[in-house]
């Protein structure tokens, strides 16, 4: 390598870092700083660092038990979500049958439902007197796993589906023509091509499962606790900041290890997987297993939702819409300060902000991490950046939330009461999802196309518009819908940071379900159904919007 | 045709949403803030920020009344439950994110006092309120409301089965009530913790063996109140007619036909929770903070507490709502523990409790 190459490579690295600067700064202020502040508050007592105390926390029998349960339940939850999600991703994105777009939109709904409400719905299904009581799952690990799969199957469907949709059919068809069985085609052609998106989805799902809070508490009874629930307990109930800090660090290390492993697995042997304009086909006989598996996923996701809908229509001993009509009021005995409808408007407005923020940051990050690296050092740098932006998923919301309070409390950074804090927090929650939705597709673009465009005289922007944009705009829309949906349903950070006089829909639902009175409970269920419907509508709009334009580029 | 319409609809929808995003114009807070800062007597009528938990709720009318009477805008900021609120206050002690706080209860009070969260404020307590004052720190934390966590029974269920409902904590370990009781976890919910404290107040050092008996009698543990009350309790279609809830709960289960409540609280099993408010140490608006304390203790707010926050007032000169007066009977002699004792032992108790219940 001569000197010119070195200079070129340095320039590329500099450009790379410059582009990454904005997202890095945002992440630094709203994530790294708060977490560092909270952790050091726990570790340094009276300005003195005491590693012995750290060791004492780490070797507690309970810490080990909690860590072990977190790891294996998250692994099992991820496996289950993949098992249910992959066939459904295939059926809903590769096959043509009536209603598949509606189904696709509906399957995203669980993702934004408030965990407390879903937890109650699940428990109604599994409790001794419930319809599925005979399974004996109430308070068992099975209930937790079902809950984790309920929330995360949609992530798999969406993330893998959008990559699968535009996957070129011809290599598979060629293999089949040469005598490969469908299973062989799947194993040797399709799955390798999908590996980046599957690994992406799996790593996101694993992080979601490992940091699941409400679902583990509600469905697992009290027998099971994860690192996340333990950090919450240590911080708020016991005020043991040191133990909480140690667990936060432990969680961070585990997440980092996981991300490195995922990074390795994600590296494609052949990054130039052919993309094609999606052409869904009618289901064939060989598609029956996939369709059957999709049906199972549908039942699992549908049952708790149906429980919610049925509950929301229940009025006394009969049925009716009274719970929905009450949404324009403030509940029985003025349970709320604002009507539920006002909260919905607040939610929508916040979601708009969170969406553009996460999309902007996420797209920049996706471009940065997917450019073809010239030197190994550059590749490592991109890999590290990729992992850094996933970290927010793996850190306890309690740590970040309290960290914000103690670090952003001095001018010029006294942001504790900024109205933008909530959308920024929600954008950070949605960011990894946005990145992971865009990256696999963008990473599949053959860099030679960009080189060809450049050698024909196209500038950087022109190359972007003609090579990258046609492939990436659909995943971007999907990501926008995702981010919007996540923001609509986000509760943890929102409840912590929001003003009490402008609550969002999930906050209002939590308040309603937290108080006695049949009407309040009914309204909580009705409001959950409204939240679900709003999400489904947004996703349907995204689904529809992208249809007529296919092939227009 | 439908596709075109839906697409147009989606575009219009997204355009409409963008038009009213938060960054597009925060109509709620900006004019108020500038109004407060711009007036000539800024220090006397500056806006005041109330930090509270997210169960805080008062009629809008009352909040407006406060603003009219004092000339101050009131901003309410919620943050999680009582535990989260207390932690938040403790972490920001001396440089608070607001001027006044409400919602730290007696199970968390000592943490707030130890961390010097509150400043002294010489608020005059109305008649009745001093019964709820803290043994230590009464000059810094002012009682605002109270409610007791009590075991509730489904009277309708017991009547139908022809059985006598339990009355005391001891009864719950009797074979007659085997498999009928559901309670919340002490580590995961505030009524759960209160119930644990009730048993500690009743049995002293022997409480672990009481809990062993309770668990041996097939007591079910739920994560939180919602979970226990809406899933397991027979009133909601569950299969356990005994549940840990509040003394006010029977006021919410009044049968429309008979006009009678179908549940009742066992008044010998209660633990009293009191919620406090105080001026935050380090606020730059102590006068406004002080006015909020007076406001919370005013007759109007005290009278609104049952319907808006499901708690009892500390004043004894306000009328309770009709259903409350009839069905929400308060225990005369609920169990209490010194906040300092709770602070010293909370961790030990919770660890022991976890050991006993997950054995």
């Amino acid at each position: 390598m001569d000197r010119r190459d070195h200079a070129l490579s340095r320039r590329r690295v500099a450009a790379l870092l410059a582009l990454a600067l904005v997202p890095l700064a945002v992440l630094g202020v709203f994530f790294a700083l708060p977490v560092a502040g909270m952790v050091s508050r726990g570790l340094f007592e009276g300005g003195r660092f005491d590693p012995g105390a750290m060791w004492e926390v780490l070797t507690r029998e309970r810490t080990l038990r909690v860590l072990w349960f977190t790891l294996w339940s998250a692994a099992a939850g991820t496996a289950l979500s993949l098992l249910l999600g992959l066939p459904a991703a295939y059926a809903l994105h590769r096959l043509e049958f009536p209603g598949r777009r509606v189904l696709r939109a509906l399957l995203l709904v669980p993702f934004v439902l408030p965990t407390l409400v879903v937890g109650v719905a699940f428990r109604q299904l599994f409790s001794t007197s419930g319809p599925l009581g005979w399974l004996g799952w109430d308070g068992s690990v099975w209930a937790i796993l079902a809950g984790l799969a309920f929330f995360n199957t949609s992530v798999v469907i969406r993330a893998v589906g959008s990559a699968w949709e535009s996957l070129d059919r011809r290599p598979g068809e060629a293999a089949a023509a040469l005598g490969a069985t469908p299973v062989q085609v799947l194993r040797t052609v399709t799955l390798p091509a999908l590996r980046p998106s599957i690994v992406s989805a799996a790593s996101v799902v694993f992080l979601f499962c490992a940091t699941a809070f409400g679902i583990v508490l509600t469905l697992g009874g009290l027998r099971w606790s994860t690192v996340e629930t333990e950090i919450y307990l240590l911080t708020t109930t016991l005020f043991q900041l040191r133990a909480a800090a140690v667990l936060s660090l432990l969680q961070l290390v585990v997440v980092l290890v996981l991300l490195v492993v995922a990074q390795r697995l994600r590296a494609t042997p052949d990054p130039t997987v052919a993309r094609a304009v999606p052409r869904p086909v009618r289901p064939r006989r060989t598609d029956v297993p996939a369709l059957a598996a999709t049906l199972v996923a549908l039942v699992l996701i549908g049952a708790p939702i149906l429980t919610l809908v049925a509950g929301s229509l229940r009025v006394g001993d009969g049925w009716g819409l009274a719970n929905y009509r009450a949404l324009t009021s403030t509940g029985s005995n003025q349970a709320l300060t604002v009507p539920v409808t006002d909260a919905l408007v607040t939610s929508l407005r916040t979601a708009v902000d969170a969406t553009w923020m996460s999309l902007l940051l996420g797209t920049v990050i996706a471009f940065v991490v997917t450019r073809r690296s010239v030197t190994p050092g550059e590749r490592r740098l991109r890999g590290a950046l990729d992992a850094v932006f996933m970290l927010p998923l793996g850190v306890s919301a309690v740590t970040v939330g309290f960290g914000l309070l103690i670090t952003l409390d001095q001018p010029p950074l006294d942001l504790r009461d900024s109205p933008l804090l909530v959308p920024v927090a929600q954008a950070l929650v949605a960011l990894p999802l946005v990145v992971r939705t865009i990256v696999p597709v963008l990473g599949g673009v053959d860099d030679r196309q960009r080189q060809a465009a450049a050698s024909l005289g196209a500038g950087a922007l022109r190359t972007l518009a003609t090579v990258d944009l046609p492939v990436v705009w659909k995943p971007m829309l999907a990501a926008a819908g995702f981010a919007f949906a996540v923001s609509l349903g986000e509760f943890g950070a929102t409840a912590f940071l929001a003003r009490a006089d402008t609550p969002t829909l999930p906050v209002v639902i939590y308040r309603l379900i937290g108080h006695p009175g049949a009407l309040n409970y009914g309204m909580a269920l009705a409001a959950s159904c409204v939240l679900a419907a709003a999400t489904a509508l947004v996703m349907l709009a995204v689904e529809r919007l992208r249809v007529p334009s296919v092939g227009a580029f | 045709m439908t596709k075109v319409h839906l697409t147009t609809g989606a575009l219009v929808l997204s355009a409409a949403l963008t038009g009213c995003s938060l960054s597009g114009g925060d109509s709620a807070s900006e004019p108020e803030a500038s109004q407060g800062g711009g007036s000539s007597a800024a220090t006397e009528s500056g806006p005041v920020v109330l930090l509270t938990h997210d169960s805080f709720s008062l009629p809008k009318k009352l909040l407006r009344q406060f603003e009219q009477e004092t000339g101050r805008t009131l901003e309410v900021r919620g943050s999680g439950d009582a535990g989260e609120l207390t932690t938040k206050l403790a972490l920001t002690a001396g440089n608070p994110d607001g001027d006044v706080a409400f919602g730290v209860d007696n199970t968390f009070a000592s943490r707030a006092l130890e961390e010097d969260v509150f400043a002294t404020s010489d608020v005059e307590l109305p008649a009745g309120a001093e019964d709820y004052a803290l043994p230590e720190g009464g000059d810094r934390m002012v009682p605002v409301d109270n409610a007791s966590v009590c075991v509730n029974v489904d009277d309708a269920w017991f009547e139908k089965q022809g059985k006598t409902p339990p009355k005391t904590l001891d009864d719950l370990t009797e074979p007659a009530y085997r498999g009928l009781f559901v309670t919340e976890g002490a580590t995961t919910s505030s009524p759960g913790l209160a119930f644990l404290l009730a048993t500690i107040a009743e049995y002293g050092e022997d409480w672990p063996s009481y809990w062993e008996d309770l668990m041996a009698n097939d007591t079910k543990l739920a994560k939180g109140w919602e979970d226990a009350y809406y899933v397991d309790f027979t009133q909601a279609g569950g299969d356990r007619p005994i549940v840990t809830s509040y003394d006010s709960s029977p006021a919410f289960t009044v049968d429309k036909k008979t006009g009678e409540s179908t549940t009742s609280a066992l008044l010998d099993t209660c633990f009293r929770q009191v919620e406090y408010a105080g001026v935050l140490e380090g606020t730059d608006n102590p006068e406004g903070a002080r006015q909020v304390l007076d406001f919370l203790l005013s007759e109007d707010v005290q009278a609104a507490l049952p319907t808006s926050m499901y708690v009892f007032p500390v004043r004894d000169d306000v009328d309770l709502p009709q259903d409350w007066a009839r069905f929400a009977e308060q225990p005369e002699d609920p169990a209490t523990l010194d906040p300092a004792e709770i602070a010293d032992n909370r961790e030990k108790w919770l660890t022991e409790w976890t050991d006993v219940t997950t054995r």
Side-chain angles (χ1 to χ4, degrees), chain A residues 207-232:
Chain A
L207 289 184
F208 278 143
C209 290
T211 56
F213 180 69
I215 211 70
V216 175
L217 277 181
T218 315
L219 294 179
L222 297 146
R223 226 158 253 279
W224 312 104
S225 97
T226 62
V227 175
E228 187 86 3
T229 59
E230 196 71 5
I231 291 174
Y232 181 86

Side-chain angles (χ1 to χ4, degrees), chain A residues 305-367:
Chain A
I305 295 183
L306 280 181
T307 313
L308 282 181
V309 174
S312 74
L313 293 170
R314 190 116 208 132
V315 181
D317 289 331
W319 304 85
L321 289 172
N323 291 326
Y324 286 89
R325 277 196 294 273
L327 293 182
T328 54
S329 75
T330 49
S332 75
N333 302 311
Q334 290 170 322
L336 306 169
T337 42
V338 298
V340 180
T341 38
D342 283 12
L344 178 63
V345 173
T346 308
S347 279
L348 291 174
R349 287 173 46 167
T350 316
V352 170
D353 286 338
T355 303
W356 70 254
M357 288 177 191
S358 61
L359 204 61
L360 194 70
L361 293 179
T363 312
V364 171
I365 295 166
F367 271 93

Side-chain angles (χ1 to χ4, degrees), chain B residues 12-270:
Chain B
V12 170
L13 180 73
S14 51
L17 288 174
T18 329
C20 59
S21 82
L22 284 177
S23 53
D26 193 349
S27 56
S29 63
E30 276 163 19
E32 287 170 5
S34 63
Q35 181 202 353
S39 73
S40 54
T43 45
E44 279 166 44
S45 61
V48 54
V49 178
L50 169 65
L51 302 183
T52 181
H53 49 58
D54 45 34
S55 309
F56 177 85
S57 153
L58 281 177
K60 266 222 159 110
K61 207 180 70 187
L62 280 176
L63 298 176
R64 266 202 300 273
Q65 188 183 318
F66 171 82
E67 299 192 332
Q68 270 161 14
E69 280 170 12
T70 60
R72 294 178 197 277
T73 51
L74 176 68
E75 192 190 310
V76 180
R77 268 179 226 157
S79 58
D81 58 21
E84 279 173 67
L85 173 71
T86 314
T87 303
K88 185 176 183 170
L89 295 174
L91 285 173
T92 57
N95 181 16
D97 192 21
D99 306 303
V100 54
F102 161 76
V104 176
D105 68 20
N106 49 331
T107 60
F108 286 111
S110 53
R111 181 187 304 168
L113 291 175
E114 270 165 31
E115 302 287 326
D116 293 323
V117 164
F118 294 108
T120 48
S121 60
D122 46 356
V123 170
E124 206 172 309
L125 292 182
E130 60 273 18
D131 296 353
Y132 302 93
L134 283 170
E136 272 171 76
D139 53 338
R140 288 175 282 166
M141 296 173 72
V142 176
V144 173
D145 66 60
N146 77 102
S148 293
V149 169
C150 308
V151 175
N152 274 230
V153 292
D154 184 345
D155 295 313
W157 187 90
F158 278 102
E159 200 171 315
K160 214 161 132 195
Q161 300 283 319
K163 288 184 182 167
T164 338
K167 276 202 152 29
T168 61
L169 289 174
D170 272 336
D171 288 349
L172 296 176
T173 59
E174 296 291 324
Y177 304 110
R178 189 178 170 79
L180 300 185
F181 181 39
V182 56
T183 187
E184 297 86 4
T187 50
T188 54
S189 102
S190 124
L193 177 61
F195 179 66
L196 170 62
L197 296 177
T199 62
I200 293 173
E202 172 82 21
Y203 299 102
E205 302 264 293
D206 294 333
W207 69 266
S209 74
Y210 172 76
W211 272 89
E212 269 168 36
D213 294 345
L214 210 53
M215 296 314 287
N217 209 24
D218 191 21
T219 293
K220 185 168 190 167
L221 291 177
K223 173 237 166 188
W225 178 89
E226 308 78 21
D227 215 12
Y229 203 82
Y230 287 130
V231 178
D232 293 305
F233 192 36
T234 41
Q235 280 278 314
D239 52 8
R240 290 181 181 244
I242 313 173
V243 66
T244 302
S245 193
Y246 293 90
D247 51 0
S248 59
S249 303
F252 295 91
T253 54
V254 178
D255 189 318
K256 283 210 179 78
K257 282 173 217 142
T258 62
E260 295 293 320
S261 182
T262 54
T263 64
S264 56
L266 307 181
L267 298 180
D268 292 333
T269 63
C270 302

Side-chain angles (χ1 to χ4, degrees), chain A residues 268-460:
Chain A
T268 28
D270 173 20
T272 58
V273 170
R275 297 279 147 205
V277 176
R279 240 178 305 110
V281 297
R282 303 206 152 277
R284 283 170 283 201
R285 199 139 43 102
T286 47
D287 293 329
V288 170
L291 287 171
T294 310
L295 200 68
V296 173
L298 261 179
V299 170
L300 176 80
I301 292 172
I305 295 183
L306 280 181
T307 313
L308 282 181
V309 174
S312 74
L313 293 170
R314 190 116 208 132
V315 181
D317 289 331
W319 304 85
L321 289 172
N323 291 326
Y324 286 89
R325 277 196 294 273
L327 293 182
T328 54
S329 75
T330 49
S332 75
N333 302 311
Q334 290 170 322
L336 306 169
T337 42
V338 298
V340 180
T341 38
D342 283 12
L344 178 63
V345 173
T346 308
S347 279
L348 291 174
R349 287 173 46 167
T350 316
V352 170
D353 286 338
T355 303
W356 70 254
M357 288 177 191
S358 61
L359 204 61
L360 194 70
L361 293 179
T363 312
V364 171
I365 295 166
F367 271 93
V368 168
V369 300
T370 54
R371 281 310 153 100
R372 203 150 173 72
S373 308
V374 176
T375 62
E378 197 185 330
R379 193 176 310 127
R380 271 198 297 277
L381 185 64
R382 286 182 200 277
L385 280 175
D386 192 19
V388 163
F389 292 113
M390 292 282 279
L391 279 183
L393 274 190
V395 174
S396 157
V398 190
T399 310
V400 181
F402 285 119
L404 277 174
L405 286 176
I406 60 168
T407 51
L408 303 182
D409 63 340
Q410 305 283 349
L413 273 181
D414 193 356
L415 301 174
R416 293 181 298 185
D417 54 342
S418 160
L420 285 180
L421 207 50
V422 171
V424 167
Q426 294 180 344
L428 284 183
V429 173
L431 185 63
L433 218 58
V434 172
V435 175
R436 290 271 74 89
T437 309
I438 300 176
V439 160
V441 181
L442 207 55
V445 174
D446 189 345
D447 205 48
R448 284 170 298 187
Q449 290 184 23
R450 296 187 191 113
Q451 290 158 9
S455 68
L456 289 172

Side-chain angles (χ1 to χ4, degrees), chain A residues 4 143 165 214 220 326 376:
Chain A
R4 242 188 80 233
E165 185 167 36

Side-chain angles (χ1 to χ4, degrees), chain A residues 138 232 240 333 349 511 520, chain B residues 20 54 220 307 310 347:
Chain A
D138 196 18
Y232 181 86
Q240 281 191 20
N333 302 311
R349 287 173 46 167
R511 189 175 291 177
N520 287 341
Chain B
C20 59
D54 45 34
K220 185 168 190 167
T307 46
Y310 310 91
E347 196 178 319

